[in-house]
Amino acid sequence: MVTAARPLPRATAHPPRALAVRHLGPNWYASVMGTAIVATAGAGLPGQVPGLRTACTTVWALSLTLLLALLCARALHWRHHRDQARAHLLDPAVAPFYGCLAMALLAVGGATLTVGRDWIGIEAAVALDAVLFTAGTVVGLAAAVAVPYLMAVRHRVEPGQATPVWLLPVVAPMVSAALGPLLVPHLPPGQPRETLLLACFALFGLSLLATFAMLPMVFARLITGGPLPLALTPTLFLVLGPLGQSTTAVGNFADVAPGVVPASYSEGFGVFAVLYGVPVLGFALLWFGLATAHVLRARRQGMGFAMTWWAFTFPVGTCVTGAEALARHTGLLAFDGLAVGLYVVLVAAWTTAAVHTARGLLSGSLLAAPRQGPAAPRPARVRTTSGAAR
């Protein structure tokens, strides 16, 4: 008697596109943030450089395209590689980058209302920004709670592991605070405008106090634990994010406060924009010098390109917008000059990161599986999908 052969179980195979995104981490949203801030910061520079606004609008269109592409790619990642997605959430080196999703949504939304309206019209720009601002704020608040929670109950990190990457989830609400005021004039007068403005002020406080709680750990780790691993050294520039973005936020509060809140509060916002912004931007410049020194040292020691190089873009861009806000509220040419100088740095950093990222994508090295560490139990740093080392 001959028995029919049992059919072999079908092997589960992922589509080629899905395989390509298996190691695509949330850190990739940093490229969207860094691109969008080039457009926003450039639009606020003093003077009228011929062609600059058109160039900024083109960069905005690129950032929107990158955002849509990454949202699709990350959706494929979650659909076909949930094991890897869960591993990212449980990896203390990768989980904080979920704050980048919120900031990417917010940065593109803000750039849409700043320069994108030139191409799509003010009504479409307001509608798109409203959607991106709402989504970015919700995701940012979720990340600000969920990631520190995971760090406490699942990651079990130690003080010696502190890096500026830890700031990413708690900085996301500050981006909402800085960009939310752009929508205030487009709301009905009265309660809606005042509610959004004060909500943004609350987000400012939420993020600022969380940053004050986190930053000392990062600074103490740097001083007592020595320099960061080479691949992580660019993340020192992430500290500029909450500094520059908070300076931008208080300047934007003062811009829209007249007629939205009582006159006494409006005057207070104007005073606060200067009395807060000047010393904080001063500290940002100090940190800029410190971070630059560390990066130059790491470069001499052989630091190669990693996706962490995008840390050179968005944080510097927030300092540009912060300097622009102080220039508006003080009338000092020094802040105009500072904004221009930092913008030159921003464009150079963006160009460098973009060229290296494009090369890495074409060669396939940036989407390849992380290299495994040596089997022997000796101190070694293993690269994660974030391009970081731990």
Side-chain angles (χ1 to χ4, degrees):
M1 178 176 174
V2 180
T3 57
R6 274 180 163 181
L8 293 174
R10 274 196 267 177
T12 57
H14 297 299
R17 286 178 301 174
L19 290 174
V21 301
R22 175 166 177 78
H23 301 287
L24 184 75
N27 57 301
W28 279 77
Y29 286 112
S31 62
V32 179
M33 297 158 52
T35 303
I37 199 70
V38 171
T40 303
L45 291 176
Q48 294 183 350
V49 179
L52 177 59
R53 189 168 180 90
T54 301
C56 289
T57 310
T58 304
V59 173
W60 159 77
L62 175 61
S63 71
L64 179 59
T65 303
L66 290 174
L67 176 63
L68 294 175
L70 271 176
L71 288 174
C72 293
R74 288 288 295 164
L76 281 174
H77 180 272
W78 271 95
R79 179 180 177 183
H80 295 285
H81 305 292
R82 292 186 182 178
D83 60 326
Q84 187 76 356
R86 285 192 294 267
H88 285 167
L89 283 172
L90 297 178
D91 186 346
V94 182
F97 284 98
Y98 273 90
C100 291
L101 167 58
M103 290 186 279
L105 294 168
L106 293 163
V108 173
T112 301
L113 201 51
T114 303
V115 295
R117 63 183 183 180
D118 294 353
W119 285 5
I120 65 175
I122 187 64
E123 292 184 2
V126 170
L128 180 56
D129 185 27
V131 171
L132 293 176
F133 174 78
T134 302
T137 300
V138 171
V139 173
L141 289 172
V145 173
V147 175
Y149 174 80
L150 287 174
M151 292 173 70
V153 303
R154 296 298 297 272
H155 297 166
R156 303 290 181 171
V157 293
E158 299 177 358
Q161 296 174 294
T163 72
V165 172
W166 289 10
L167 294 170
L168 288 173
V170 299
V171 172
M174 186 65 78
V175 182
S176 294
L179 298 177
L182 299 179
L183 287 168
V184 169
H186 301 283
L187 293 177
Q191 290 273 341
R193 292 185 180 182
E194 185 173 0
T195 299
L196 179 56
L197 176 58
L198 294 184
C200 290
F201 196 33
L203 290 169
F204 167 85
L206 179 159
S207 181
L208 185 66
L209 295 177
T211 299
F212 283 165
M214 198 77 76
L215 189 55
M217 290 188 287
V218 175
F219 192 57
R221 154 66 182 86
L222 187 64
I223 298 299
T224 61
L228 295 175
L230 296 184
L232 278 177
T233 302
T235 65
L236 288 171
F237 277 80
L238 294 177
V239 175
L240 298 177
L243 303 175
Q245 199 68 283
S246 61
T247 303
T248 303
V250 295
N252 289 345
F253 296 156
D255 289 339
V256 302
V260 174
V261 295
S264 57
Y265 295 166
S266 177
E267 293 174 2
F269 274 122
V271 172
F272 187 53
V274 177
L275 296 186
Y276 172 89
V278 172
V280 169
L281 194 60
F283 179 67
L285 293 177
L286 168 67
W287 193 274
F288 182 92
L290 177 65
T292 300
H294 275 267
V295 168
L296 292 176
R297 172 189 174 276
R299 191 63 174 158
R300 288 195 301 269
Q301 294 189 354
M303 179 187 74
F305 174 75
M307 287 299 290
T308 50
W309 280 34
W310 283 99
F312 298 140
T313 58
F314 188 79
V316 174
T318 67
C319 292
V320 175
T321 57
E324 291 169 349
L326 285 174
R328 291 196 306 271
H329 291 283
T330 63
L332 292 178
L333 295 177
F335 288 118
D336 282 333
L338 177 62
V340 172
L342 288 174
Y343 189 72
V344 171
V345 174
L346 169 62
V347 172
W350 178 84
T351 303
T352 302
V355 168
H356 280 85
T357 301
R359 287 177 180 171
L361 282 173
L362 292 175
S363 68
S365 60
L366 287 180
L367 293 177
R371 292 192 299 269
Q372 298 298 319
R378 61 184 180 85
R381 299 185 179 96
V382 180
R383 182 172 67 82
T384 70
T385 54
S386 67
R390 57 183 176 91

